[in-house]
Amino acid sequence: MSEEFYRMKRLPPYVIAEVNAMRAAARAAGRDIIDLGMGNPDLPPPAHVIEKLCEVAMKPDAHGYSASKGIPGIRKAQANYYGRRFNVELDPETEVVMTMGSKEGLASLATAITAPGDVVLAPNPSYPIHTFGFIIAGATIRSVPTTPDERYWESLDRAMKYSVPRPSVLIVNYPSNPTAETVDLAFYERLVAWAKENKVWILSDLAYSELYFDGNPTRSILEVPGAKDVAVEFTSMSKTFSMAGWRVGFAVGNRQLIAALTRVKSYLDYGAFTPIQAAACAALNGPQDIVEMNRNLYQKRRDVMVEAFGRAGWEIPSPKASMFAWAPLPPALAHMGSLEFSKQLLTQAEVAVAPGVGYGEDGEGFVRIAMVENEQRLRQAARNIKRYLTSMGVNTPAAK
């Protein structure tokens, strides 16, 4: 009975968990850790959304089993959001399903559409569920680059030419977690044409749809005419409305894929708690000023972080979207690798970041920094990092 279970043997080590455990131990010991490691929003949801949750929770008949695919009102609200935001028309009955966050939706769809041995194309580096969900379902992962340049298209073509069996699914995630890279509509137009030519399903993870900066809104793959023939898209309320713990997400698009996901979910769950679904309706249908306010707040944090870390001696590229920065290790310390560097930042500077290697081998040499602390804490993190870099003999700019 000592043999490890089949699916457990197929799972790669979860590298990020090692740093998470160290962070928890440091906090338990009373150390003040500035946590820029996990993308856990530090802002509250809108007040009217919490009020709706409480109002519906007071109703005696609101505590039974709910609808696995989402109550009609929440599916209609999501369809209306796509109409307002992307000018995309969706049928709430056949092209929208509610999920318990985009993470559960991706994993359940992987279960629904994947046969053992299927080849799935996933970005590297990428958010772990993009690969883990399909590995658990029995698929084989073939990596493609995350950066959307010509090398990306060459990699797709090689995958179709040399993979046996031919890949059946491609996962895309822009704005990217962890790299914060973005794409324009022309990229999606080319991608949809490629998918139709090669008979590949596209799963687009658009979890950071509303966290864009500098006045450049993110685009949806479903804006491309005919995209619903080959694509579904996942969104989440976790970051948009600071509702991460509520576990509210959606899949929309291709009817065949939505039907498969809906059917699998009907065997696995009874849907989110009804008061949560009602409150999510209030978020989608109500005032949207909180969305812009959060966007502006994250943009200001980004500017503060890039400036303060730069003055500390660590140049960080300014992200165009998402709540993350994807930062190359300081050149003088690149030899450490991202895991050891992350451990040293935690123990020596009391700043937690996520090692890039935890998002795939191509993430080595980078760390992901989440902008989930306020500006004062970000500046404190920069001061701590400056002391650490100086102690390591890294030349840092003189204080201004």
Side-chain angles (χ1 to χ4, degrees):
M1 298 295 288
S2 61
E3 187 175 344
E4 193 175 9
F5 296 115
Y6 168 72
R7 282 185 171 80
M8 298 302 100
K9 287 191 290 186
R10 296 195 79 235
L11 283 173
Y14 194 33
V15 175
I16 298 168
E18 192 173 342
V19 177
N20 290 346
M22 290 179 63
R23 179 189 63 213
R27 281 187 161 164
R31 298 181 66 184
D32 179 23
I33 303 298
I34 302 172
D35 189 1
L36 310 180
M38 189 174 181
N40 198 11
D42 62 319
L43 308 170
H48 72 277
V49 175
I50 298 174
E51 289 165 7
K52 176 60 72 172
L53 173 72
C54 297
E55 174 194 324
V56 178
M58 293 298 292
K59 296 180 179 180
D61 61 353
H63 298 269
Y65 295 125
S66 192
S68 174
K69 67 178 183 178
I71 60 177
I74 192 68
R75 287 181 280 115
K76 185 175 180 181
Q78 177 68 355
N80 289 341
Y81 161 73
Y82 261 79
R84 291 191 312 268
R85 175 68 167 79
F86 301 113
N87 197 30
V88 170
E89 186 175 334
L90 295 169
D91 180 350
E93 285 300 313
T94 61
E95 296 177 332
V96 180
V97 61
M98 182 181 177
T99 64
M100 294 182 185
S102 57
K103 189 173 182 179
E104 178 271 325
L106 279 157
S108 292
L109 186 57
T111 300
I113 68 174
T114 304
D118 280 359
V119 176
V120 171
L121 304 177
N124 188 341
S126 73
Y127 186 54
I129 195 63
H130 297 154
T131 54
F132 290 5
F134 281 91
I135 290 171
I136 291 170
T140 297
I141 301 297
R142 176 161 178 150
S143 294
V144 296
T146 300
T147 301
D149 55 16
E150 279 306 311
R151 187 169 149 262
Y152 178 83
W153 300 105
E154 292 165 4
S155 180
L156 290 185
D157 289 339
R158 282 197 307 275
M160 299 311 297
K161 188 174 181 180
Y162 296 115
S163 298
V164 179
R166 281 169 64 86
S168 56
V169 175
L170 168 66
I171 302 160
V172 295
N173 170 216
Y174 300 105
S176 167
N177 177 7
T179 72
E181 291 168 294
T182 59
V183 295
D184 57 16
L185 193 60
F187 173 89
Y188 285 134
E189 290 170 343
R190 185 174 176 183
L191 193 65
V192 168
W194 176 89
K196 289 186 175 185
E197 179 184 347
N198 289 282
K199 297 180 172 55
V200 172
W201 294 116
I202 300 174
L203 312 187
S204 170
D205 184 354
L206 192 62
Y208 298 92
S209 58
E210 299 306 324
L211 286 186
Y212 58 83
F213 307 135
D214 308 315
N216 294 315
T218 56
R219 307 303 294 262
S220 163
I221 193 172
L222 298 183
E223 292 181 74
V224 178
K228 283 195 282 187
D229 295 339
V230 294
V232 293
E233 191 157 68
F234 292 88
T235 56
S236 167
M237 300 185 73
S238 296
K239 312 307 190 295
T240 305
F241 294 97
S242 299
M243 294 166 61
W246 296 49
R247 309 314 301 137
V248 179
F250 300 92
V252 305
N254 180 269
R255 294 183 180 205
Q256 186 180 349
L257 292 178
I258 294 299
L261 173 55
T262 301
R263 186 175 179 189
V264 162
K265 281 178 58 60
S266 73
Y267 289 99
L268 297 177
D269 69 67
Y270 285 106
F273 186 38
T274 298
I276 286 179
Q277 296 196 44
C281 285
L284 287 168
N285 294 332
Q288 300 297 297
D289 52 339
I290 185 71
V291 178
E292 184 172 3
M293 186 180 79
N294 284 354
R295 182 186 304 128
N296 292 338
L297 184 145
Y298 280 113
Q299 180 170 323
K300 194 167 183 188
R301 287 181 178 180
R302 175 201 68 173
D303 295 342
V304 166
M305 181 189 66
V306 169
E307 187 270 337
F309 281 39
R311 286 202 294 129
W314 189 8
E315 296 295 332
I316 293 176
S318 181
K320 295 179 180 178
S322 84
M323 63 196 306
F324 305 113
W326 186 239
L329 272 56
L333 303 180
H335 63 278
M336 284 186 182
S338 64
L339 181 58
E340 180 59 27
F341 177 73
S342 299
K343 290 178 178 179
Q344 292 219 8
L345 272 192
L346 181 65
T347 57
Q348 306 300 317
E350 297 188 320
V351 175
V353 297
V357 72
Y359 301 94
E361 62 186 84
D362 289 349
E364 183 55 272
F366 293 83
V367 295
R368 193 194 72 173
I369 305 172
M371 299 178 284
V372 292
E373 295 265 16
N374 62 40
E375 294 172 33
Q376 179 182 346
R377 295 278 282 174
L378 289 170
R379 289 192 174 97
Q380 180 62 52
R383 288 192 290 271
N384 292 5
I385 289 169
K386 184 181 176 89
R387 283 197 299 271
Y388 164 67
L389 293 177
T390 301
S391 74
M392 296 297 290
V394 177
N395 293 326
T396 58
K400 295 180 182 178

